[in-house]
Amino acid sequence: MRRKALASIGLGAAAMLALSGCGQVGATGGDGGGSTGGGDQTMVTVVKISGVGWFDRMEVGVTEFAEETGIDARQEGADDASPEKQIQIIQDLIPQAPAAITVVPNSPEALETVLAQARKQGIVVVTHEAAGITNADIDIEAFDNRAYGAKIMDNLAECMDGEGQYVSFVGGLTAKTHMDWVGGAYDQQQAEYPDLTRVEEPVESKEDESVAYQRAKELLAKYPDLKGFQGSAGTDVAGIARAVQEAGLEDQVCVMGTSIPSVAKKYIDDGSIDKIFFWDPAMAGKAQLKIAQLLVDGEEITDGTDLGIEGYNSLKKLDGFDNVFVGDAAVIVDKSNVDEYDF
């Protein structure tokens, strides 16, 4: 049931996304700062929730960006994954007039109005995990999200030997990126793996490992033949793995999804998580801020733009969207290579 991991995901983005023109970041200052002078700029990254491993790692990137550019960059987040609390944080930031606000929305739809207010005040807005959002200058994604979900399904189906029941978790039903992942996985399953069956609609974990654990326990009791779990929030697979471990089902149930090694490693080591899929949140944090810096400096983001950040060296505009660009930053990890990552 254990399968070989790949060093990175080839999502076939080149076949789906046209490449035309090129914007290169080399025109900024020698230290990486913008032409306006980093010390004159303030940028704030607003994340889904503070105090979890995923966004702790993103803050590392925010801090590094500040050190490298001289820009006053910082990260803020609420104590739970509440769109209302994100809205309040942004409302409080607007009168401070930062040069840019970057945000990872819990609900892109809920944030549209407050982000429109920010832009009306001349604040550059960059989002992440929010493809389709209207009131952002640029949304940056680590990769094509539905293709990423399909790749997770390919690996889950292989682990499940192509048959059986599985369930998909999301941090929130309003988390568009999570819904894109499970939607891409479901479409791939329907097209390629007819002997697999998704039970339940996507299960909401509230971005909380304890909630994921409780729901997984309930589902294992409800569906004795359940063979697979797909997690979306960074804490989902850890919570699911606890339930699988307690039930002694490490060799019968496949657990895969988005997380980072520091959260998932102990469960990968004991076999209760089979694979995790991720991109480096620190690099994503830096990518958001670099895009904001370029926009503040009057530059454009186009097909081929090189942010000078690993995984974001040749951005591609996502078909069907005016403001969404994707990198090529995805990684797959299992027991064979988990020790290669220190976050």
Side-chain angles (χ1 to χ4, degrees):
M1 189 177 295
R2 305 293 180 257
R3 307 294 182 185
K4 293 182 179 179
L6 302 177
S8 62
I9 304 176
L11 294 179
M16 297 181 288
L17 304 169
L19 186 64
S20 63
C22 180
Q24 190 77 17
V25 170
T28 58
D31 64 352
S35 59
T36 58
D40 298 328
Q41 297 177 5
T42 298
M43 299 183 182
V44 184
T45 296
V46 181
V47 296
K48 291 181 178 181
I49 184 172
S50 290
V52 298
W54 187 270
F55 293 113
D56 288 347
R57 176 64 180 174
M58 183 168 285
E59 191 165 18
V60 170
V62 172
T63 301
E64 288 180 356
F65 178 84
E67 292 172 349
E68 292 166 1
T69 63
I71 290 172
D72 176 13
R74 69 181 190 272
Q75 180 168 299
E76 296 189 12
D79 57 0
D80 64 46
S82 163
E84 292 76 20
K85 289 184 179 180
Q86 273 195 318
I87 290 169
Q88 186 61 57
I89 290 171
I90 296 167
Q91 285 176 334
D92 291 344
L93 286 172
I94 290 172
Q96 300 174 34
I101 295 173
T102 75
V103 59
V104 189
N106 285 305
S107 169
E109 293 82 2
L111 266 60
E112 289 282 15
T113 299
V114 73
L115 293 180
Q117 293 169 0
R119 296 180 77 199
K120 188 174 181 180
Q121 296 302 312
I123 299 169
V124 167
V125 173
V126 177
T127 57
H128 178 55
E129 297 189 47
I133 196 166
T134 299
N135 286 298
D137 294 278
I138 296 290
D139 177 74
I140 179 65
E141 302 294 326
F143 35 69
D144 179 277
N145 286 307
R146 295 189 73 86
Y148 174 80
K151 179 60 67 172
I152 293 174
M153 175 51 60
D154 288 339
N155 282 266
L156 186 63
E158 182 182 21
C159 183
M160 294 172 62
D161 296 323
E163 60 182 12
Q165 298 175 331
Y166 74 98
V167 65
S168 297
F169 278 44
V170 293
L173 297 175
T174 60
K176 185 177 187 305
T177 297
H178 293 188
M179 295 299 288
D180 282 346
W181 296 342
V182 300
Y186 183 71
D187 288 348
Q188 183 74 349
Q189 180 260 300
Q190 291 284 291
E192 301 293 338
Y193 309 107
D195 294 330
L196 266 61
T197 302
R198 189 179 78 179
V199 297
E200 308 274 337
E201 292 298 308
V203 175
E204 194 172 36
S205 70
K206 305 292 186 182
E207 301 266 349
D208 188 317
E209 181 177 329
S210 296
V211 174
Y213 164 70
Q214 291 293 341
R215 294 307 312 274
K217 282 183 66 175
E218 294 165 5
L219 289 161
L220 287 168
K222 184 176 180 180
Y223 300 100
D225 296 326
L226 194 60
K227 288 180 60 178
F229 285 89
Q230 174 192 359
S232 298
T235 50
D236 282 351
V237 291
I240 293 164
R242 284 174 55 200
V244 168
Q245 187 184 66
E246 286 182 4
L249 295 173
E250 297 94 328
D251 293 330
Q252 286 76 48
V253 176
C254 297
V255 178
M256 298 186 182
T258 302
S259 191
I260 53 176
S262 62
V263 173
K265 183 180 185 305
K266 65 180 180 180
Y267 298 111
I268 292 174
D269 286 342
D270 72 17
S272 48
I273 292 175
D274 294 272
K275 292 182 183 180
I276 58 170
F277 303 72
F278 64 95
W279 64 106
D280 186 345
M283 297 301 102
K286 293 176 79 169
Q288 294 170 72
L289 289 164
K290 175 55 75 173
I291 288 172
Q293 181 189 24
L294 291 171
L295 295 178
V296 167
D297 287 351
E299 301 197 37
E300 295 184 359
I301 306 300
T302 63
D303 278 333
T305 290
D306 180 359
L307 299 182
I309 296 166
E310 184 178 357
Y312 302 89
N313 300 111
S314 182
L315 301 187
K316 297 179 177 63
K317 189 174 182 182
L318 188 61
D319 284 347
F321 298 92
D322 292 331
N323 65 344
V324 182
F325 286 80
V326 300
D328 184 16
V331 177
I332 303 177
V333 163
D334 68 1
K335 191 181 295 187
S336 71
N337 64 341
V338 66
D339 290 330
E340 297 174 16
Y341 300 88
D342 60 358
F343 61 88

